[in-house]
Amino acid sequence: MAIEITSELRARLGRISLFLCDVDGVLTDATVFVQGGGAEFKAFNIQDGLGLVNLRRHGVKVGWISSRYSASTDARAKELQIDFLEYATSGKVAAVETIREKARVTWTEVCYAGDDLVDLAPLRRVGAAIAVANAVDEVKAAAHYVTLVRGGAGAVREISDLILKSQGKWDQVLAGYSY
């Protein structure tokens, strides 16, 4: 499915050097399975994972911000070699600020994807604000773009592809898979 984006969004995404997103509801479908002993399980979309790998391979740093600790999130972040993982104990703006400073980028160079009210504050500050299709209405209203697919179902892949295409790197991405 071809996605048409505005020239304004293309310009915003063209400046991105750091992609950040929420975890539950963006990288997952917001479902958390909790076993009797407290063990937690989450499902992550494999195509989202490749999208994040593509971003990293082509010069865009990647980070996740969650309001709650999860060993499942830690394990998936380690597996994908995510550049930054922050648990937002003092709010998501503070977490974005911590990562932004480590990455040495401006707010304009940050793309943030969210789905719920806890994501509103960072969405209102970043250069490219994205809501996933299953986001609450207030988050969609704050976004520069709303994905066609839901969180946990390829929304992050949709975003990563849009960033790389907007930056003119898509042919390089494809060339990396032609062997």
Side-chain angles (χ1 to χ4, degrees):
M1 116 183 68
I3 300 169
E4 292 191 31
I5 60 172
T6 65
S7 58
E8 177 195 352
L9 181 60
R10 188 178 320 282
R12 286 178 180 278
L13 294 174
R15 292 188 290 266
I16 298 308
S17 56
L18 174 62
F19 171 70
L20 300 175
C21 66
D22 177 40
V23 177
D24 298 324
V26 175
L27 286 163
T28 75
D29 69 0
T31 301
V32 176
F33 299 95
V34 180
Q35 197 171 3
E40 177 181 287
F41 303 92
K42 297 180 183 186
F44 291 91
N45 183 289
I46 207 78
Q47 291 180 336
D48 285 346
L50 185 58
L52 296 170
V53 167
N54 287 338
L55 283 173
R56 291 186 66 249
R57 283 183 181 158
H58 295 277
V60 178
K61 293 191 181 304
V62 174
W64 298 351
I65 299 173
S66 183
S67 294
R68 54 185 294 281
Y69 175 78
S70 166
S72 298
T73 298
D74 280 353
R76 185 64 174 149
K78 183 177 180 181
E79 179 182 31
L80 290 174
Q81 300 178 346
I82 297 304
D83 298 301
F84 307 100
L85 173 59
E86 288 285 327
Y87 291 101
T89 56
S90 300
K92 290 203 174 182
V93 169
V96 172
E97 185 65 21
T98 297
I99 295 171
R100 190 188 67 71
E101 288 176 358
K102 288 178 185 174
R104 299 177 187 216
V105 299
T106 65
W107 281 94
T108 306
E109 296 171 285
V110 178
C111 175
Y112 184 88
D115 72 309
D116 215 336
L117 300 176
V118 296
D119 300 308
L120 278 173
L123 286 168
R124 291 178 175 148
R125 288 172 174 78
V126 297
I130 301 184
V132 293
N134 53 300
V136 298
D137 290 340
E138 293 81 359
V139 169
K140 289 179 181 179
H144 298 115
Y145 179 76
V146 178
T147 63
L148 300 177
V149 296
R150 299 172 58 83
V156 169
R157 177 60 176 273
E158 179 181 333
I159 297 163
S160 65
D161 289 0
L162 283 173
I163 291 170
L164 292 165
K165 288 175 182 178
S166 294
Q167 294 183 356
K169 297 177 180 176
W170 193 244
D171 288 341
Q172 294 171 28
V173 171
L174 295 177
Y177 296 102
S178 359
Y179 45 90

